[in-house]
């Protein structure tokens, strides 16, 4: 299955929030080897940390990139890692217009689909980012 299919499964069928959906879907697609307990760490980031702040789907994307990119710690790869995260934020913002849940939600929330559109766009931003950084840096995947 591809990332978009997994996003649909985890969000609509399993009822995970935006950040949980991204990490679960990416865990399957990119073989992150995260156990269920580890993925629980993203539960609190849904709905912009339940306060409308940074979109949980974007936070999920950053978590995925961290797992794919970092060998031991961020400071050891800071210049490359910073570029990768900035690229992801740029890709996400280009598609959704903002990084704040409270600013994204008014134009992308659907009463029936909830935040599915946002999560799908976040998944596309993640895929674009991974494709772009794979060209420049070696990822563990």
């Amino acid at each position: 299955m591809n990332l978009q299919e997994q996003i649909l499964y985890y969000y609509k069928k399993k009822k995970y929030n935006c950040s949980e959906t991204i990490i679960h879907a990416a865990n399957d697609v990119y073989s992150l080897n995260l156990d269920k307990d580890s993925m629980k760490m993203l539960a609190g980031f849904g709905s912009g940390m339940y306060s409308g702040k940074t979109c949980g789907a974007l936070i999920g994307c950053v978590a995925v990139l961290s797992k794919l990119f970092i060998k031991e710690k961020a400071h050891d790869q800071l210049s490359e890692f910073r570029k990768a995260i900035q690229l992801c934020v740029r890709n996400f913002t280009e598609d959704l217009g903002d990084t704040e849940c409270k600013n994204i939600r008014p134009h992308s929330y659907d009463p029936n689909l909830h935040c599915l559109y946002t999560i799908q766009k976040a998944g596309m931003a993640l895929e674009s980012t991974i494709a772009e950084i794979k060209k420049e840096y070696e990822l563990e995947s």
Side-chain angles (χ1 to χ4, degrees):
M1 291 194 137
N2 67 38
L3 187 62
Q4 291 300 320
E5 291 169 332
Q6 291 301 92
I7 285 170
L8 188 61
Y9 171 74
Y10 283 109
Y11 192 69
K12 294 301 287 174
K13 299 276 188 212
K14 300 296 272 178
K15 307 290 187 203
Y16 282 111
N17 72 28
C18 50
S19 56
E20 292 171 314
T21 295
I22 292 289
I23 198 72
H24 279 273
N27 192 51
D28 291 349
V29 172
Y30 298 113
S31 302
L32 301 179
N33 299 315
L34 296 170
D35 62 41
K36 288 182 181 186
D37 278 344
S38 296
M39 289 186 281
K40 288 179 188 178
M41 290 190 295
L42 270 76
F45 294 103
S47 297
M49 294 171 278
Y50 298 100
S51 61
K53 300 296 183 188
T54 305
C55 176
L58 175 58
I59 291 170
C61 292
V62 171
V64 171
L65 290 171
S66 298
K67 176 68 168 132
L68 286 172
F69 199 91
I70 298 300
K71 293 181 176 119
E72 189 172 327
K73 60 185 175 197
H75 284 150
D76 290 347
Q77 299 166 258
L78 193 54
S79 63
E80 298 90 0
F81 186 58
R82 179 183 289 126
K83 288 179 195 173
I85 300 306
Q86 289 171 345
L87 180 60
C88 184
V89 171
R90 184 204 72 195
N91 290 340
F92 182 93
T93 305
E94 283 179 0
D95 280 345
L96 289 157
D98 208 308
T99 60
E100 296 287 300
C101 179
K102 67 182 178 191
N103 298 330
I104 296 168
R105 189 177 171 100
H107 62 82
S108 67
Y109 182 84
D110 179 278
N112 297 315
L113 299 174
H114 304 279
C115 292
L116 180 61
Y117 174 78
T118 300
I119 301 165
Q120 289 173 322
K121 288 291 199 175
M124 289 180 220
L126 177 62
E127 290 173 312
S128 295
T129 302
I130 290 170
E132 289 178 60
I133 62 178
K134 272 189 173 181
K135 290 179 186 175
E136 194 167 346
Y137 308 108
E138 189 175 319
L139 288 176
E140 290 180 22
S141 60

